[in-house]
Amino acid sequence: MKPLTEEEKNQRLAELRQRAVKEKAVQAVEEAEEAKANEKIRRKAGQVRSQAVLFITATLRSIVTGQVREKIDDAKAKAAIKAQIEADKRERAEKAARDKALRRKGIRSRAIVDHYTGLFFPTFNFGSSHQRKRIQGYQNAALRAVAEFVAGQSLAYNVDTVSFTMQFPRKTFTQADMNKSLKDLGLTPSAVLIAS
């Protein structure tokens, strides 16, 4: 190979410089496109991240709101249960006081209703003696008729304040039940009622 002349060297050098300039231009274009692609990826990742954060925040907010609502509902239910328990305690204490007062007087009443025969057997305990009466036709009557009969048999009872209790199944009939029939109250075919 023969050495290059000065003119050939300059020409070769100029070609290399032009090639380098073209390569730099191509490389700059490629880098610009790559930078644009990276920017799109970065923006997309940012959008996905922000959407995920919003979704998680909304989900957590709904969970917390639901838990708060559940706690409030639980507190209301507990308060209602406590109020019911207190009312039951007061009612039992009042009933116990009434029963105690009647026991001091020696008065206790038990009424037996037989709906197959239509007979009503009240039993009154005045100390050691018992009294029974048989009356027919009460199977379709209202509980008020039974209360009137019991009140008519003893001065210890008043039609407007008397209440009846069944031992089994345990059930108490109040003034609200007085206009219902014995059949509607489940006192058929027979039942034992304690008047108080």
Side-chain angles (χ1 to χ4, degrees):
M1 212 166 152
K2 99 181 174 184
L4 296 171
T5 63
E6 202 55 42
E7 196 177 299
E8 289 174 343
K9 282 181 186 179
N10 289 337
Q11 185 182 1
R12 183 84 170 152
L13 193 59
E15 287 175 6
L16 289 174
R17 281 186 186 146
Q18 282 182 348
R19 188 188 297 171
V21 168
K22 284 181 183 177
E23 286 178 2
K24 280 185 182 179
V26 169
Q27 187 176 5
V29 170
E30 288 176 356
E31 285 177 359
E33 289 176 359
E34 190 174 322
K36 284 182 184 178
N38 287 340
E39 182 65 21
K40 282 183 181 178
I41 291 171
R42 188 186 64 75
R43 284 185 183 174
K44 179 96 175 169
Q47 288 174 350
V48 169
R49 189 179 306 116
S50 66
Q51 288 174 353
V53 167
L54 290 175
F55 175 75
I56 290 170
T57 305
T59 304
L60 289 175
R61 189 174 295 128
S62 66
I63 289 171
V64 168
T65 313
Q67 289 174 345
V68 168
R69 194 176 307 120
E70 285 177 8
K71 285 183 181 179
I72 291 170
D73 291 344
D74 288 345
K76 287 180 182 176
K78 285 179 184 178
I81 290 170
K82 285 182 181 179
Q84 182 64 39
I85 289 170
E86 290 301 318
D88 290 345
K89 282 182 183 177
R90 282 193 302 275
E91 184 179 326
R92 282 194 301 267
E94 290 171 2
K95 186 172 189 257
R98 281 194 314 262
D99 289 347
K100 189 174 182 180
L102 289 176
R103 279 195 302 273
R104 283 186 188 150
K105 292 179 182 178
I107 300 172
R108 186 169 179 199
S109 172
R110 177 173 291 213
I112 303 169
V113 181
D114 185 346
H115 295 282
Y116 281 128
T117 60
L119 300 177
F120 177 76
F121 307 98
T123 302
F124 295 93
N125 182 0
F126 296 95
S128 62
S129 65
H130 296 278
Q131 184 182 21
R132 287 184 178 227
K133 301 273 184 192
R134 292 183 182 208
I135 300 173
Q136 294 184 358
Y138 276 79
Q139 65 267 20
N140 294 322
L143 187 60
R144 180 170 295 284
V146 177
E148 290 170 356
F149 178 82
V150 170
Q153 296 295 315
S154 172
L155 296 176
Y157 299 102
N158 185 347
V159 176
D160 298 324
T161 60
V162 70
S163 66
F164 294 100
T165 304
M166 282 178 38
Q167 293 291 349
F168 185 79
R170 189 95 169 130
K171 187 171 183 183
T172 301
F173 302 98
T174 60
Q175 290 298 318
D177 300 319
M178 288 298 172
N179 294 327
K180 296 180 182 175
S181 71
L182 299 175
K183 185 175 183 180
D184 292 340
L185 293 172
L187 299 174
T188 57
S190 65
V192 175
L193 298 174
I194 298 174
S196 60

